[in-house]
Amino acid sequence: MPDKFGLVVIGVGMAGLNAAKKCVNAGLSVAVVDERPYGGTCALRGCDPKKMLRRGAEVVEAARLMAGKGIGDTPRIEWADLMAHKRSFTDPVPKKMEGSLDEAGVVTLHGAVQFVGPAALQIGEREVEAAKVLVATGQRPRSLDVPGAEHLTDSTEFLELEELPRRILFVGGGYVSMEFAHIAARAGASVTVADRGKRPLKAFDPDLVDRLVESSKEAGIDFAFGASLAKVERRGGGLVATLDRDRGSIEIEADLVVNGAGRVPEIGHLNLEAADVAHGDGRITVTEHLRSTTNPNVYAAGDCAATDGLPLTPVAVHEGAVAASNVLKGDHRTADYAGVPSVAFTLPEIVRIGMSEEDARQSDRDVDVRFNETSAWYSNQRIGAKVGATKVIVDKTTDELLGVHLFGYGQAEVANLFALAMRSGLKAANLRRMQSAYPTHGSDVSSMLG
Ligand SMILES: Cc1cc2nc3c(=O)[nH]c(=O)nc-3n(C[C@H](O)[C@H](O)[C@H](O)COP(=O)(O)OP(=O)(O)OC[C@H]3O[C@@H](n4cnc5c(N)ncnc54)[C@H](O)[C@@H]3O)c2cc1C
Ligand SMILES: NC(=O)c1ccc[n+]([C@@H]2O[C@H](COP(=O)([O-])OP(=O)(O)OC[C@H]3O[C@@H](n4cnc5c(N)ncnc54)[C@H](O)[C@@H]3O)[C@@H](O)[C@H]2O)c1
């Protein structure tokens, strides 16, 4: 006899966890299942471990910026100890998360899952039936189909390195590569980032990215643009990556080649066909209520769902909550993606919220682009920083904040002020009039809007 539940959630990451808790708290019988230890990408293989490692780089960088300004010897990263610092956070996560689900009354299952009917699942030997299923299986690193791909290291493996190799090549100049490159460079590695495009971090403002590229070079990071990975070979004691460019190929020697060439939704092994769950471009096709367009028993949320939301943790949490509301009360709630900040945690960080300058200019809005070179501003001078710029795009007619682009130390926190303002429909004038604590990075906001 199969076990029966009101809701089965596949994937215990940010989207799944939040949906399961919301539904069980409302009285539904809920089971969750994951094929890996509970926690998902963000807590175990993404945001949180990455930022634990970044802390080491932040300390080194802060001291470097103040060298000759009252700070003596620059500290150095002890990689194994920094990894232990990371594990002090990540190691307890699966047990804690499973404990909190058990305590809430969620049935916690483990194993690979397959659909065997419209709302029937096979989990190992066990058959489970559900009134509703939420697919929240996230994404995994994209495999690169090149000779020697077996020599590549993915982001999950990078976050587990016991020793940091001396020479590291990052393939792909997206979030993963740029963030890891900045950490590795501060930890003393010799780092190159290669991307097939003409600049890294395509989703961010090009004027700010160009500044980031220059400051990254000063931090010792080399770049190869217009370069697409063709093969990786083991030669002697190291690796050699061949990258194709318009005018011939180049070879880069490294001890480690990291695949940062993107991520793909993890829905391939679910046997979605058995449940008639439609998918396109690798993501589950959903309605505005996050319900499968072809199977009314199934919802999807987070990175694996084809929505307008970016593959980011706050979006996964929000979509998990929206899907749970709809499971509980029928389809009534839609996701709201207004004012979601996206930050690449390079050193310093770069931020985007809302529209790009290009999109704003191409829209029918009358736009005012307020650009500021902030490198000489007090908040940068105080910490010895020599880079920084901001671009805020405002609708001239309505004074609405359309797009916010920030580059500099402290800007990831400043982003939250803009995000709140944009999500709440506040105008540029509201932020200009804000009485902020002084002197803080936040107190620069009114000048950014000037
Ligand atoms: C290196 C890195 C750094 C990142 N940094 C940030 C950041 O700083 N800020 C930010 O907002 N976002 C960041 N992200 C993105 C963020 O981690 C994701 O957007 C978020 O975790 C998505 O949550 P999710 O619940 O959709 O999926 P996930 O957290 O990926 O959870 C999916 C779960 O499903 C399970 N699963 C998959 N397939 C199956 C199956 N067939 N059967 C059973 N279980 C299955 C997986 O094991 C996993 O536990 C980062 C990502 C990476 C890789
Ligand atoms: N701080 C954060 O919020 C954060 C951090 C990491 C990841 N993420 C999420 O994960 C997603 C994936 O990030 P990512 O960095 O893996 O991918 P990405 O899509 O951001 O970047 C991949 C890059 O690789 C390049 N590329 C692809 N194939 C290549 C090849 N063969 N040779 C050379 N370059 C190649 C692409 O041009 C692109 O610039 C992001 O969209 C983001 O939403 C977020």
Side-chain angles (χ1 to χ4, degrees):
M1 279 283 285
D3 296 320
K4 290 192 176 164
F5 296 96
L7 172 71
V8 174
V9 177
I10 311 175
V12 189
M14 286 299 115
L17 175 76
N18 286 283
K21 285 202 168 165
K22 195 172 159 89
C23 287
V24 83
N25 288 340
L28 206 64
S29 63
V30 179
V32 296
V33 54
D34 203 303
E35 60 184 5
R36 299 189 184 89
Y38 288 3
T41 305
C42 184
L44 298 177
R45 300 176 287 279
C47 339
D48 296 329
K50 176 255 326 262
K51 222 165 164 211
M52 294 293 279
L53 298 184
R54 187 191 192 249
R55 183 64 195 141
E58 287 166 9
V59 170
V60 168
E61 185 63 5
R64 191 183 69 85
L65 294 178
M66 288 296 288
K69 299 181 178 66
I71 296 298
D73 290 348
T74 302
R76 67 165 199 272
I77 288 177
E78 303 289 352
W79 186 259
D81 294 343
L82 187 60
M83 269 292 165
H85 175 56
K86 182 218 78 165
R87 281 198 301 271
S88 71
F89 174 81
T90 51
D91 284 359
V93 167
K95 201 169 160 206
K96 265 200 214 162
M97 206 174 270
E98 186 153 353
S100 79
L101 285 160
D102 285 337
E103 213 168 286
V106 174
V107 174
T108 50
L109 306 173
H110 295 268
V113 187
Q114 284 213 328
F115 279 92
V116 289
L121 300 163
Q122 185 78 40
I123 305 166
E125 297 293 296
R126 191 167 179 164
E127 253 187 66
V128 169
E129 275 181 13
K132 296 282 180 289
V133 177
L134 173 66
V135 184
T137 49
Q139 299 188 337
R140 60 173 168 74
R142 181 161 81 88
S143 308
L144 282 173
D145 187 16
V146 293
E150 68 276 12
H151 301 307
L152 295 169
T153 295
D154 68 21
S155 58
T156 303
E157 292 162 337
F158 181 90
L159 289 168
E160 295 295 334
L161 288 174
E162 279 309 319
E163 279 175 31
L164 191 69
R166 194 168 58 81
R167 300 165 304 171
I168 308 179
L169 168 64
F170 290 92
V171 177
Y175 293 73
V176 166
S177 290
M178 287 298 284
E179 292 182 340
F180 288 179
H182 272 259
I183 294 168
R186 275 23 174 247
S190 156
V191 172
T192 304
V193 175
D195 195 281
R196 58 189 177 190
K198 62 179 184 198
R199 61 167 64 81
L201 294 170
K202 292 179 190 57
F204 291 82
D205 182 82
D207 294 328
L208 304 195
V209 170
D210 286 348
R211 285 169 168 77
L212 169 62
V213 168
E214 286 314 306
S215 68
S216 303
K217 286 180 185 166
E218 274 163 36
I221 299 172
D222 285 334
F223 289 92
F225 294 124
S228 187
L229 185 70
K231 65 176 176 184
V232 187
E233 293 163 283
R234 191 163 281 293
R235 255 192 237 163
L239 297 168
V240 178
T242 305
L243 296 128
D244 287 342
R245 297 176 104 168
D246 278 353
R247 275 172 283 156
S249 57
I250 49 166
E251 287 189 346
I252 296 178
E253 292 180 18
D255 303 303
L256 186 79
V257 182
V258 178
N259 173 3
R263 293 172 60 75
V264 290
E266 194 154 26
I267 59 170
H269 304 297
L270 290 172
N271 195 22
L272 294 172
E273 284 62 35
D276 189 27
V277 174
H279 51 95
D281 285 338
R283 298 188 298 165
I284 293 179
T285 317
V286 289
T287 66
E288 60 175 350
H289 299 112
L290 306 184
R291 190 189 277 238
S292 159
T293 50
T294 48
N295 180 340
N297 303 311
V298 174
Y299 288 79
D303 283 6
C304 70
T307 67
D308 292 339
L310 294 170
L312 297 174
T313 288
V315 174
V317 170
H318 176 62
E319 289 185 352
V322 170
S325 295
N326 294 336
V327 165
L328 289 169
K329 296 185 191 152
D331 291 355
H332 67 291
R333 198 172 158 198
T334 56
D336 174 5
Y337 302 113
V340 175
S342 177
V343 180
F345 290 98
T346 45
L347 282 158
E349 60 265 38
I350 186 163
V351 174
R352 172 183 176 163
I353 318 172
M355 284 173 129
S356 67
E357 179 178 357
E358 196 185 349
D359 288 348
R361 287 196 188 282
Q362 277 171 10
S363 72
D364 53 7
R365 307 269 198 161
D366 189 9
V367 298
D368 186 9
V369 176
R370 300 178 190 177
F371 178 82
N372 279 289
E373 175 64 54
T374 60
S375 48
W377 287 13
Y378 167 79
S379 44
N380 279 321
Q381 188 188 353
R382 185 184 72 84
I383 62 172
K386 294 196 172 55
V387 292
T390 64
K391 188 184 275 186
V392 182
I393 305 160
V394 177
D395 184 313
K396 258 190 213 164
T397 316
T398 63
D399 203 33
E400 268 173 279
L401 293 156
L402 300 177
V404 174
H405 304 271
L406 312 170
F407 169 54
Y409 293 95
Q411 298 308 318
E413 300 296 341
V414 174
N416 293 323
L417 290 173
F418 281 108
L420 177 65
M422 290 167 86
R423 215 169 162 81
S424 314
L426 295 181
K427 302 288 165 70
N430 296 116
L431 277 186
R432 251 198 328 270
R433 287 198 296 267
M434 177 175 67
Q435 294 279 317
S436 44
Y438 186 85
T440 59
H441 287 288
S443 56
D444 288 341
V445 165
S446 54
S447 309
M448 291 177 197
L449 288 160

